Amino acid sequence: MVRDRSGARSNLSASLGDYLTGDGNCWSWGWSVNRSYDNEWTGDDSTKVRLRAACDARAYAAIGDDTTVPPMSSSHRSYGSQPPARRRGLWIAVVATVIVAAAGALTAVVVTHGHSSRTKDVAQHTTQHAQGVTTPVTPNSPKAHAPAGPPPKTVRVTSDLNDGDKVGVGQPIVLNFSPSPTDSSAFTKAVTVTVNGHPANGAWYWEKPYADQPIQAHYRERSYWPANASIQVKLPIGGRSAGKGLAYAGALTSVTFTTGDSHVSTVDYASRKLTVTSNGRVVGTFPVSLGAAATPTYNGIKVVMQKGEDAPGTDTLRPNGTVMMSGPGYSNDPVPWSVRITASGEYVHAAGWNTNIGVRDTSNGCTNLKPADGKWFYNFSLLGDVVQYSNTDGDPMNPLDGLGDWNIGWSQWTQGGQLLNH
């Protein structure tokens, strides 16, 4: 049998001490063994013979190769002559070391049915001293562990959405990181998204909107969110790995928001009309003027990302949804009822100066509406509403130009972008 570490010293003393000194003390046991060496083992007690063999085996296991210790006899005969004093002193020290080591359960000598065995603890580590004697080092010793490395760098996480926000059905979940994670596996395994309490069927896509900015993680389903739904993101990622030497902060733990009615608008270049639906029902059709040949409007799916703009240095919107625009034909001019749909500067806005609305395309890429129509659309729109463009002369919508997530095919999206999903 093998003794556990906590009971080794007392159990060995109780089991063997009576044969040697009768007091169960390990140091007394060591002295008794040495005394037996001086005066020889006598009598016919076979248990003493087995103990002698066990201690002899343990002694050889505990000393270096360059130290010679006279073996204990396995019979009842004497050694014939006393070993030199130097050897005797070393033998006393070695035997004492053997007993103390045995009491620590690093090596247990077990006597059963006339056989001895040596059992090595699986966590045993040793270190070599100058005298050539090998002594144990416990797993809790400083030498048993490699020095700790520097603490991981903290990756801060923020959300474009706040608790309680109400958005359109095309609004992706957008998380921002600083600095950028380099591995998404821990994140994607830990984070969950639910729709009305049920697991969502979406995926994360990692992208950098601009090369000099940290990476973002966007989440969407294969189709738009359902209307009037409650969506929750749980982020139990604090302390988890964000890549080698990186760990997520734990400040942001969840975000809960809702969707409004399903607002999906379509703009057809051929008819020059904007058709607006709410929950699948047409609620408005308006003439438009799109981008001129030199500044065509992009094709694809766009999402409302801003309504109007704040006055400089404040958190207050300019009146009437006004945006100060610059570009060909503009010089920081106020444009009312402006709904932004791309980061590069496309808007759906009122353009009372444009007499070509519904007739010709003369804008700088924006979708021009008559003033009353522009005001209606502004008031109707939610951040996250969808505006789909088809048949324009412009290039396909760049997925990184604002919230162009819906222009990425589902099979590509589920792969994860710049950080692969696992």
Side-chain angles (χ1 to χ4, degrees):
M1 59 183 175
V2 178
R3 303 288 186 188
D4 64 22
R5 184 169 301 187
S6 60
R9 188 183 185 105
S10 60
N11 288 338
L12 283 172
S13 298
S15 300
L16 307 181
D18 291 341
Y19 289 108
L20 303 174
T21 65
D23 62 3
N25 183 281
C26 289
W27 286 105
S28 298
W29 179 30
W31 169 246
S32 180
V33 171
N34 185 63
R35 186 177 59 193
S36 298
Y37 174 80
D38 289 342
N39 300 327
E40 305 176 27
W41 289 91
T42 58
D44 296 324
D45 190 336
S46 61
T47 301
K48 291 182 180 180
V49 174
R50 292 195 297 273
L51 287 174
R52 179 181 304 204
C55 288
D56 177 56
R58 180 64 186 91
Y60 276 111
I63 62 174
D65 293 338
D66 59 346
T67 305
T68 301
V69 176
M72 296 182 69
S73 173
S74 59
S75 68
H76 304 302
R77 292 173 294 169
S78 68
Y79 286 108
S81 64
Q82 198 76 294
R86 182 175 63 82
R87 295 299 186 194
R88 176 182 175 184
L90 177 59
W91 177 233
I92 293 173
V94 169
V95 172
T97 301
V98 169
I99 305 307
V100 173
L106 290 172
T107 301
V109 179
V110 182
V111 179
T112 174
H113 303 298
H115 298 284
S116 66
S117 62
R118 288 178 290 128
T119 305
K120 182 177 290 186
D121 191 298
V122 295
Q124 179 177 343
H125 299 275
T126 60
T127 180
Q128 191 75 24
H129 292 282
Q131 294 91 335
V133 178
T134 302
T135 57
V137 178
T138 66
N140 291 329
S141 169
K143 293 183 180 180
H145 298 282
K153 189 173 183 179
T154 300
V155 176
R156 296 179 299 279
V157 187
T158 60
S159 172
D160 278 6
L161 294 172
N162 299 310
D163 284 334
D165 280 354
K166 182 179 180 179
V167 297
V169 296
Q171 174 71 48
I173 299 166
V174 179
L175 299 179
N176 308 284
F177 303 89
S178 181
S180 295
T182 58
D183 190 306
S184 66
S185 56
F187 176 94
T188 53
K189 290 175 182 177
V191 177
T192 59
V193 181
T194 57
V195 181
N196 294 328
H198 301 288
N201 294 313
W204 291 97
Y205 191 85
W206 302 76
E207 61 184 37
K208 278 189 174 184
Y210 302 97
D212 60 345
Q213 292 185 355
I215 205 167
Q216 294 179 336
H218 291 218
Y219 185 96
R220 69 170 176 88
E221 294 191 305
R222 187 166 190 167
S223 301
Y224 305 138
W225 300 114
N228 303 301
S230 176
I231 301 165
Q232 184 178 54
V233 189
K234 291 185 177 180
L235 298 150
I237 57 175
R240 294 179 184 268
S241 174
K244 185 176 181 181
L246 299 170
Y248 294 106
L252 182 65
T253 58
S254 68
V255 180
T256 302
F257 62 97
T258 61
T259 58
D261 289 339
S262 177
H263 295 171
V264 178
S265 300
T266 57
V267 179
D268 180 58
Y269 178 79
S271 65
R272 294 188 179 88
K273 287 184 179 180
L274 166 66
T275 302
V276 182
T277 68
S278 178
N279 298 326
R281 181 175 62 89
V282 175
V283 294
T285 301
F286 311 102
V288 298
S289 177
L290 301 178
T295 53
T297 302
Y298 293 130
N299 262 306
I301 302 173
K302 304 165 190 178
V303 172
V304 174
M305 54 185 299
Q306 180 185 352
K307 293 176 64 178
E309 67 181 4
D310 292 341
T314 75
D315 292 329
T316 304
L317 288 171
R318 295 180 187 275
N320 301 325
T322 298
V323 172
M324 305 302 291
M325 295 190 183
S326 297
Y330 298 93
S331 180
N332 202 34
D333 293 332
V335 178
W337 312 121
S338 296
V339 176
R340 188 169 196 150
I341 53 176
T342 74
S344 59
E346 283 193 12
Y347 289 81
V348 179
H349 65 77
W353 62 90
N354 191 341
T355 60
N356 296 305
I357 293 175
V359 180
R360 288 189 300 157
D361 298 308
T362 58
S363 80
N364 290 319
C366 291
T367 302
N368 288 181
L369 294 168
K370 294 178 179 180
D373 298 341
K375 180 179 179 180
W376 183 94
F377 187 79
Y378 180 94
N379 291 326
F380 171 84
S381 296
L382 293 171
L383 298 182
D385 282 356
V386 177
V387 187
Q388 303 175 348
Y389 287 77
S390 60
N391 303 316
T392 74
D393 290 337
D395 292 333
M397 167 72 176
N398 186 334
L400 303 182
D401 188 2
L403 300 176
D405 300 18
W406 300 102
N407 297 285
I408 299 175
W410 183 242
S411 60
Q412 179 183 347
W413 181 272
T414 55
Q415 294 177 22
Q418 293 188 23
L419 294 181
L420 298 181
N421 289 323
H422 300 280

Short mmCIF file of all heavy atoms in Angstrom, two decimals, residues 149-187:
data_model
loop_
_atom_site.label_atom_id
_atom_site.label_comp_id
_atom_site.label_asym_id
_atom_site.label_seq_id
_atom_site.Cartn_x
_atom_site.Cartn_y
_atom_site.Cartn_z
N GLY A 149 5.30 35.39 -16.54
CA GLY A 149 5.55 36.41 -17.56
C GLY A 149 4.81 37.69 -17.24
O GLY A 149 4.12 37.80 -16.22
N PRO A 150 4.94 38.69 -18.09
CA PRO A 150 4.24 39.95 -17.86
C PRO A 150 2.74 39.76 -17.96
O PRO A 150 2.27 38.87 -18.68
CB PRO A 150 4.77 40.85 -18.99
CG PRO A 150 5.21 39.91 -20.06
CD PRO A 150 5.72 38.70 -19.34
N PRO A 151 1.95 40.56 -17.25
CA PRO A 151 0.49 40.42 -17.33
C PRO A 151 0.01 40.77 -18.73
O PRO A 151 0.63 41.57 -19.44
CB PRO A 151 -0.02 41.43 -16.30
CG PRO A 151 1.09 42.43 -16.17
CD PRO A 151 2.35 41.66 -16.37
N PRO A 152 -1.12 40.17 -19.17
CA PRO A 152 -1.62 40.47 -20.51
C PRO A 152 -2.09 41.91 -20.63
O PRO A 152 -2.53 42.52 -19.65
CB PRO A 152 -2.79 39.48 -20.68
CG PRO A 152 -3.21 39.15 -19.29
CD PRO A 152 -1.96 39.19 -18.46
N LYS A 153 -2.01 42.44 -21.82
CA LYS A 153 -2.48 43.79 -22.09
C LYS A 153 -4.00 43.78 -22.20
O LYS A 153 -4.58 42.89 -22.81
CB LYS A 153 -1.86 44.30 -23.40
CG LYS A 153 -2.13 45.78 -23.66
CD LYS A 153 -1.34 46.24 -24.88
CE LYS A 153 -1.55 47.75 -25.11
NZ LYS A 153 -0.76 48.21 -26.28
N THR A 154 -4.64 44.77 -21.62
CA THR A 154 -6.10 44.80 -21.57
C THR A 154 -6.68 45.33 -22.87
O THR A 154 -6.26 46.36 -23.39
CB THR A 154 -6.58 45.69 -20.41
OG1 THR A 154 -6.09 45.14 -19.17
CG2 THR A 154 -8.10 45.74 -20.36
N VAL A 155 -7.66 44.60 -23.41
CA VAL A 155 -8.40 45.01 -24.61
C VAL A 155 -9.74 45.58 -24.17
O VAL A 155 -10.59 44.85 -23.65
CB VAL A 155 -8.60 43.82 -25.57
CG1 VAL A 155 -9.44 44.25 -26.77
CG2 VAL A 155 -7.25 43.28 -26.04
N ARG A 156 -9.94 46.86 -24.36
CA ARG A 156 -11.20 47.50 -23.99
C ARG A 156 -12.25 47.25 -25.07
O ARG A 156 -11.94 47.21 -26.25
CB ARG A 156 -10.99 49.00 -23.79
CG ARG A 156 -10.04 49.33 -22.64
CD ARG A 156 -9.83 50.81 -22.48
NE ARG A 156 -9.24 51.42 -23.66
CZ ARG A 156 -7.94 51.40 -23.95
NH1 ARG A 156 -7.10 50.78 -23.12
NH2 ARG A 156 -7.47 51.98 -25.03
N VAL A 157 -13.50 47.11 -24.64
CA VAL A 157 -14.60 46.78 -25.55
C VAL A 157 -15.72 47.79 -25.35
O VAL A 157 -16.14 48.05 -24.22
CB VAL A 157 -15.13 45.36 -25.29
CG1 VAL A 157 -16.16 44.98 -26.36
CG2 VAL A 157 -14.00 44.34 -25.26
N THR A 158 -16.21 48.37 -26.44
CA THR A 158 -17.36 49.28 -26.39
C THR A 158 -18.34 48.88 -27.48
O THR A 158 -18.00 48.17 -28.42
CB THR A 158 -16.94 50.75 -26.59
OG1 THR A 158 -16.31 50.89 -27.88
CG2 THR A 158 -15.98 51.20 -25.50
N SER A 159 -19.58 49.35 -27.31
CA SER A 159 -20.64 49.03 -28.26
C SER A 159 -21.20 50.28 -28.90
O SER A 159 -21.34 51.32 -28.23
CB SER A 159 -21.77 48.28 -27.53
OG SER A 159 -22.90 48.12 -28.37
N ASP A 160 -21.51 50.19 -30.20
CA ASP A 160 -22.18 51.30 -30.88
C ASP A 160 -23.61 51.47 -30.37
O ASP A 160 -24.19 52.55 -30.48
CB ASP A 160 -22.20 51.07 -32.39
CG ASP A 160 -20.89 51.48 -33.06
OD1 ASP A 160 -19.94 51.83 -32.34
OD2 ASP A 160 -20.83 51.43 -34.31
N LEU A 161 -24.18 50.39 -29.84
CA LEU A 161 -25.54 50.43 -29.33
C LEU A 161 -25.53 50.50 -27.81
O LEU A 161 -24.65 49.90 -27.16
CB LEU A 161 -26.33 49.20 -29.78
CG LEU A 161 -26.59 49.08 -31.29
CD1 LEU A 161 -27.20 47.73 -31.62
CD2 LEU A 161 -27.52 50.20 -31.76
N ASN A 162 -26.52 51.18 -27.25
CA ASN A 162 -26.67 51.27 -25.81
C ASN A 162 -27.91 50.50 -25.38
O ASN A 162 -28.83 50.25 -26.18
CB ASN A 162 -26.81 52.73 -25.37
CG ASN A 162 -25.59 53.56 -25.72
OD1 ASN A 162 -24.47 53.17 -25.43
ND2 ASN A 162 -25.81 54.71 -26.34
N ASP A 163 -27.94 50.15 -24.11
CA ASP A 163 -29.13 49.51 -23.57
C ASP A 163 -30.35 50.41 -23.80
O ASP A 163 -30.31 51.61 -23.54
CB ASP A 163 -28.98 49.27 -22.07
CG ASP A 163 -28.08 48.09 -21.75
OD1 ASP A 163 -27.97 47.18 -22.59
OD2 ASP A 163 -27.48 48.07 -20.66
N GLY A 164 -31.42 49.80 -24.30
CA GLY A 164 -32.65 50.54 -24.51
C GLY A 164 -32.80 51.20 -25.86
O GLY A 164 -33.86 51.76 -26.16
N ASP A 165 -31.76 51.15 -26.71
CA ASP A 165 -31.87 51.75 -28.04
C ASP A 165 -32.94 51.03 -28.87
O ASP A 165 -33.12 49.81 -28.75
CB ASP A 165 -30.53 51.66 -28.78
CG ASP A 165 -29.55 52.74 -28.35
OD1 ASP A 165 -29.95 53.63 -27.56
OD2 ASP A 165 -28.38 52.68 -28.79
N LYS A 166 -33.60 51.82 -29.71
CA LYS A 166 -34.56 51.26 -30.67
C LYS A 166 -34.03 51.55 -32.07
O LYS A 166 -33.79 52.71 -32.42
CB LYS A 166 -35.94 51.89 -30.48
CG LYS A 166 -37.02 51.33 -31.39
CD LYS A 166 -38.36 52.00 -31.10
CE LYS A 166 -39.47 51.46 -32.00
NZ LYS A 166 -40.78 52.10 -31.70
N VAL A 167 -33.85 50.50 -32.86
CA VAL A 167 -33.18 50.64 -34.15
C VAL A 167 -33.97 49.92 -35.24
O VAL A 167 -34.91 49.17 -34.97
CB VAL A 167 -31.75 50.08 -34.10
CG1 VAL A 167 -30.90 50.87 -33.12
CG2 VAL A 167 -31.76 48.59 -33.73
N GLY A 168 -33.53 50.15 -36.48
CA GLY A 168 -34.13 49.48 -37.62
C GLY A 168 -33.66 48.05 -37.74
O GLY A 168 -32.67 47.63 -37.14
N VAL A 169 -34.35 47.30 -38.58
CA VAL A 169 -34.08 45.85 -38.70
C VAL A 169 -32.77 45.54 -39.41
O VAL A 169 -32.32 44.39 -39.40
CB VAL A 169 -35.25 45.16 -39.42
CG1 VAL A 169 -36.53 45.27 -38.60
CG2 VAL A 169 -35.45 45.72 -40.83
N GLY A 170 -32.15 46.55 -40.02
CA GLY A 170 -30.88 46.31 -40.70
C GLY A 170 -29.66 46.65 -39.86
O GLY A 170 -28.53 46.51 -40.33
N GLN A 171 -29.87 47.06 -38.63
CA GLN A 171 -28.76 47.50 -37.77
C GLN A 171 -27.94 46.31 -37.28
O GLN A 171 -28.44 45.49 -36.52
CB GLN A 171 -29.30 48.27 -36.58
CG GLN A 171 -28.24 48.65 -35.55
CD GLN A 171 -27.30 49.71 -36.04
OE1 GLN A 171 -27.73 50.73 -36.58
NE2 GLN A 171 -26.01 49.50 -35.88
N PRO A 172 -26.67 46.21 -37.67
CA PRO A 172 -25.84 45.14 -37.10
C PRO A 172 -25.39 45.52 -35.70
O PRO A 172 -25.37 46.69 -35.32
CB PRO A 172 -24.65 45.07 -38.06
CG PRO A 172 -24.54 46.46 -38.61
CD PRO A 172 -25.95 47.00 -38.69
N ILE A 173 -25.06 44.51 -34.92
CA ILE A 173 -24.39 44.76 -33.64
C ILE A 173 -22.93 45.10 -33.96
O ILE A 173 -22.27 44.36 -34.70
CB ILE A 173 -24.46 43.53 -32.73
CG1 ILE A 173 -25.91 43.18 -32.42
CG2 ILE A 173 -23.66 43.74 -31.45
CD1 ILE A 173 -26.10 41.81 -31.82
N VAL A 174 -22.43 46.20 -33.43
CA VAL A 174 -21.06 46.61 -33.72
C VAL A 174 -20.32 46.81 -32.40
O VAL A 174 -20.73 47.63 -31.56
CB VAL A 174 -21.02 47.91 -34.55
CG1 VAL A 174 -19.57 48.33 -34.80
CG2 VAL A 174 -21.76 47.73 -35.87
N LEU A 175 -19.25 46.06 -32.21
CA LEU A 175 -18.38 46.21 -31.05
C LEU A 175 -17.03 46.74 -31.48
O LEU A 175 -16.50 46.35 -32.52
CB LEU A 175 -18.20 44.87 -30.34
CG LEU A 175 -19.46 44.21 -29.79
CD1 LEU A 175 -19.13 42.88 -29.13
CD2 LEU A 175 -20.18 45.12 -28.80
N ASN A 176 -16.48 47.64 -30.68
CA ASN A 176 -15.19 48.26 -30.96
C ASN A 176 -14.17 47.79 -29.94
O ASN A 176 -14.49 47.62 -28.76
CB ASN A 176 -15.33 49.78 -30.90
CG ASN A 176 -16.46 50.30 -31.76
OD1 ASN A 176 -16.35 50.37 -32.97
ND2 ASN A 176 -17.57 50.67 -31.14
N PHE A 177 -12.93 47.60 -30.37
CA PHE A 177 -11.87 47.08 -29.51
C PHE A 177 -10.66 48.00 -29.56
O PHE A 177 -10.34 48.57 -30.61
CB PHE A 177 -11.46 45.68 -29.96
CG PHE A 177 -12.59 44.70 -30.00
CD1 PHE A 177 -13.36 44.55 -31.14
CD2 PHE A 177 -12.90 43.93 -28.89
CE1 PHE A 177 -14.41 43.65 -31.20
CE2 PHE A 177 -13.95 43.02 -28.93
CZ PHE A 177 -14.70 42.89 -30.07
N SER A 178 -9.99 48.10 -28.43
CA SER A 178 -8.75 48.86 -28.38
C SER A 178 -7.85 48.29 -27.29
O SER A 178 -8.21 48.31 -26.11
CB SER A 178 -9.03 50.33 -28.09
OG SER A 178 -7.82 51.08 -28.07
N PRO A 179 -6.70 47.70 -27.68
CA PRO A 179 -6.22 47.49 -29.04
C PRO A 179 -6.96 46.32 -29.70
O PRO A 179 -7.84 45.73 -29.10
CB PRO A 179 -4.74 47.15 -28.83
CG PRO A 179 -4.72 46.49 -27.49
CD PRO A 179 -5.74 47.22 -26.67
N SER A 180 -6.56 46.01 -30.93
CA SER A 180 -7.24 44.97 -31.69
C SER A 180 -6.93 43.57 -31.16
O SER A 180 -5.76 43.25 -30.91
CB SER A 180 -6.82 45.03 -33.16
OG SER A 180 -7.24 46.22 -33.76
N PRO A 181 -7.93 42.72 -30.98
CA PRO A 181 -7.67 41.31 -30.70
C PRO A 181 -6.94 40.67 -31.88
O PRO A 181 -7.06 41.13 -33.02
CB PRO A 181 -9.06 40.70 -30.53
CG PRO A 181 -9.98 41.85 -30.29
CD PRO A 181 -9.38 43.01 -31.02
N THR A 182 -6.22 39.61 -31.60
CA THR A 182 -5.54 38.87 -32.66
C THR A 182 -6.06 37.45 -32.80
O THR A 182 -5.65 36.73 -33.70
CB THR A 182 -4.02 38.82 -32.39
OG1 THR A 182 -3.79 38.21 -31.11
CG2 THR A 182 -3.43 40.23 -32.39
N ASP A 183 -6.96 37.04 -31.92
CA ASP A 183 -7.56 35.71 -31.98
C ASP A 183 -8.99 35.84 -31.48
O ASP A 183 -9.24 36.40 -30.41
CB ASP A 183 -6.77 34.72 -31.11
CG ASP A 183 -7.22 33.28 -31.32
OD1 ASP A 183 -8.43 33.01 -31.18
OD2 ASP A 183 -6.37 32.43 -31.62
N SER A 184 -9.94 35.30 -32.24
CA SER A 184 -11.36 35.46 -31.90
C SER A 184 -11.96 34.25 -31.21
O SER A 184 -13.14 34.27 -30.87
CB SER A 184 -12.16 35.74 -33.18
OG SER A 184 -12.13 34.62 -34.06
N SER A 185 -11.19 33.18 -31.02
CA SER A 185 -11.78 31.92 -30.58
C SER A 185 -12.45 32.02 -29.21
O SER A 185 -13.59 31.57 -29.03
CB SER A 185 -10.74 30.81 -30.59
OG SER A 185 -9.61 31.16 -29.80
N ALA A 186 -11.77 32.62 -28.23
CA ALA A 186 -12.37 32.73 -26.90
C ALA A 186 -13.61 33.61 -26.93
O ALA A 186 -14.60 33.34 -26.24
CB ALA A 186 -11.34 33.27 -25.91
N PHE A 187 -13.57 34.66 -27.72
CA PHE A 187 -14.71 35.59 -27.83
C PHE A 187 -15.93 34.89 -28.41
O PHE A 187 -17.02 34.93 -27.84
CB PHE A 187 -14.30 36.77 -28.69
CG PHE A 187 -15.42 37.75 -28.97
CD1 PHE A 187 -15.60 38.86 -28.17
CD2 PHE A 187 -16.27 37.57 -30.05
CE1 PHE A 187 -16.62 39.77 -28.42
CE2 PHE A 187 -17.30 38.47 -30.32
CZ PHE A 187 -17.47 39.57 -29.50
#
